[in-house]
């Protein structure tokens, strides 16, 4: 299974949703894959509700911990060297798949 991102900011149960997905990834590490969407960037999920949900229900520290994990998620996947998968788009400055492979993680999404 390959999920393409935007696991949070989709309602009142974002914490439960992402926690369940992480649990599945832990239980099925070879068959369950999570890519990073734009809502897994702290600058986005802070504005669209995930930050507020974490702060209201638990703590800002929990939000920061989730953001630290999001910064480790891959941004794309290549299936059988044929199918290129990602949430949305990538920077036009990235011209080859090798450039994408060299992106060091953890990394935050640049603002511009």
């Amino acid at each position: 299974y390959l999920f393409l991102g935007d696991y949070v900011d989709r309602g009142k149960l974002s914490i439960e949703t992402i926690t369940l997905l992480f649990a599945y990834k832990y239980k099925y590490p070879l068959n369950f894959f999570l890519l990073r969407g734009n809502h897994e960037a702290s600058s986005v999920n802070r504005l669209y509700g995930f930050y507020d949900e974490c702060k209201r229900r638990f703590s800002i520290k929990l939000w920061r911990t989730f953001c630290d994990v999001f910064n480790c998620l891959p941004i794309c996947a290549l299936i059988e060297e044929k199918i290129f998968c990602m949430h949305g788009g990538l920077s036009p400055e990235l011209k080859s798949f090798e450039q994408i492979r060299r992106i060091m993680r953890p990394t935050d999404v640049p603002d511009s």
Side-chain angles (χ1 to χ4, degrees):
Y1 296 93
L2 176 63
F3 293 84
L4 302 181
D6 280 10
Y7 314 112
V8 298
D9 297 331
R10 298 290 176 237
K12 298 178 182 179
L13 300 175
S14 290
I15 294 170
E16 287 80 359
T17 300
I18 192 60
T19 302
L20 179 63
L21 290 169
F22 286 156
Y24 280 135
K25 177 61 181 168
Y26 180 78
K27 186 168 183 171
Y28 305 107
L30 302 178
N31 298 318
F32 195 92
F33 302 93
L34 300 169
L35 298 183
R36 185 177 188 174
N38 63 310
H39 283 263
E40 283 71 56
S42 59
S43 60
V44 175
N45 66 45
R46 184 174 177 113
L47 295 174
Y48 288 92
F50 187 58
Y51 171 85
D52 293 329
E53 180 182 346
C54 290
K55 181 180 174 184
R56 183 181 73 254
R57 296 179 56 201
F58 295 96
S59 67
I60 295 172
K61 184 176 186 230
L62 178 67
W63 174 75
R64 285 191 189 117
T65 302
F66 274 120
C67 289
D68 288 343
V69 176
F70 295 156
N71 287 341
C72 296
L73 291 176
I75 60 171
C76 61
L78 188 60
I79 300 172
E80 296 187 4
E81 300 294 320
K82 293 180 183 177
I83 303 169
F84 184 58
C85 304
M86 72 184 97
H87 170 71
L90 295 174
S91 168
E93 295 177 18
L94 296 170
K95 304 291 185 199
S96 72
F97 198 75
E98 190 55 39
Q99 286 178 292
I100 297 168
R101 287 183 188 187
R102 287 194 304 255
I103 295 173
M104 299 299 293
R105 290 180 280 157
T107 189
D108 202 355
V109 176
D111 288 331
S112 56

